[in-house]
Amino acid sequence: MKKFSILTTFVTFLALILGNLVVATNSGDACGTTWPVCNGKVFPDITDYHVIIEYSHRLMVPLLIMLTAINAVGAIYKYRKNKSVFILAILSLALLVFQSMIGGLNVLLGTPPGFTTFDVTFSQLLLIVLVLLSYSLHEKKIELNRTSWESVSMSYRAFLLGYIAYIAQVILGAFFKHSRASNVMMDIPAMEYLITSESVANAVYSLHWVATFVVIVAAIWFVIYASRFKYHIALSWAYLISLLLNAVVGFIIVVTGNVVLASSMHMLISTVTMVIGACILGGYWFKLQKKTMKA
C-alpha cells in the first residue's frame, strides 16, 4: 500500500507540473470551455503546442482521480484503526473533489483573473496531504531519548511555522500572478485585470517578499538543528537551497518581465519545495517517537 501511495503522490506531482506549465504558457484557454474534452473533440488538433499542454493536463485528471480514490480507500481498509491514516485519506478525497470542481469551473468560466489562485491552493494542499499520507503508512519508528526529543520537537515547531508561512507565500504569489497584479506592477498588457491599482500590486508583492524572508530564516534555523541532531540533514539543506533558488528565479521574473521559462521554473521549484517540506513534516510526525521509559 505504501508503494501505491508514493505512486499516487508522484502522479499528483506530475499533474501539478503540467498545471503550472499550462499557466506559465498561457495555455488555459487553448481547449475552450468544453471540459473535459478539448474544443468539443476527443482528438483535437495537436499542431498547436498550447492545445497539447492543456489537453495533456485535462487527460491527467481522470488518472489522478482514480489513483487518489484507490489510494484513499485502500489505506482506510488496510489501516482503518490508524486515526492519522483515516483522517488524511478522507482529507485527500475531499481536496480532490474541491480541486476538480475548481479546475472545471475555471475552464467553464473562461479562466477569469484571480480564479486560478483557488486551483493552485487546493492542488498544493492535495499534494501535501498525499505526501503526509504516504508517511503515515510507515510502521517502523525511530526512538529518541527525552532530551533529543524535546530539542528536535522545538526545531520542528519552528519549521512548521516557517512552512505555513511558505504555503501562504505560494498562495500569495499565485494571487499576485493570476490577479494580473504582476502585469500592473511590471506594466505588461493583459486582457483582463482583477487588480488595477499599482499601489495594491506593490503591496501584494512586498508581502510576498516579506514572507520569503521569514521562510528562509526559519529554514536556516532548521538546517542548524537538523545538522546538530543528525536527522533530516539532506532534506533540510534541499529545502533551504530550493527556497533560495526560488527567490533568485522570482527576482529574475521581475527583472526580465515574467518570461515563460523563468515563470515555469519558479512554479516547478515551488512545487518541489512544497514536497520537500511535506516530507520533513511527515518524517517528524510519523517516523519519530519519544523513547518509552522501561519499568
Side-chain angles (χ1 to χ4, degrees), residues 159-178:
F159 171 81
L160 179 59
L161 291 175
Y163 189 57
I164 291 173
Y166 176 69
I167 295 172
Q169 180 215 35
V170 170
I171 296 172
L172 192 62
F175 179 73
F176 178 71
K177 176 177 175 58
H178 301 306

Side-chain angles (χ1 to χ4, degrees), residues 75-105:
I76 292 172
Y77 177 77
K78 190 172 181 180
Y79 299 90
R80 51 187 173 275
K81 294 183 180 180
N82 189 318
K83 185 178 179 181
S84 296
V85 172
F86 180 81
I87 292 174
L88 289 170
I90 294 297
L91 190 56
S92 70
L93 288 175
L95 286 171
L96 178 66
V97 171
F98 278 114
Q99 196 274 330
S100 299
M101 291 173 58
I102 292 296
L105 282 173

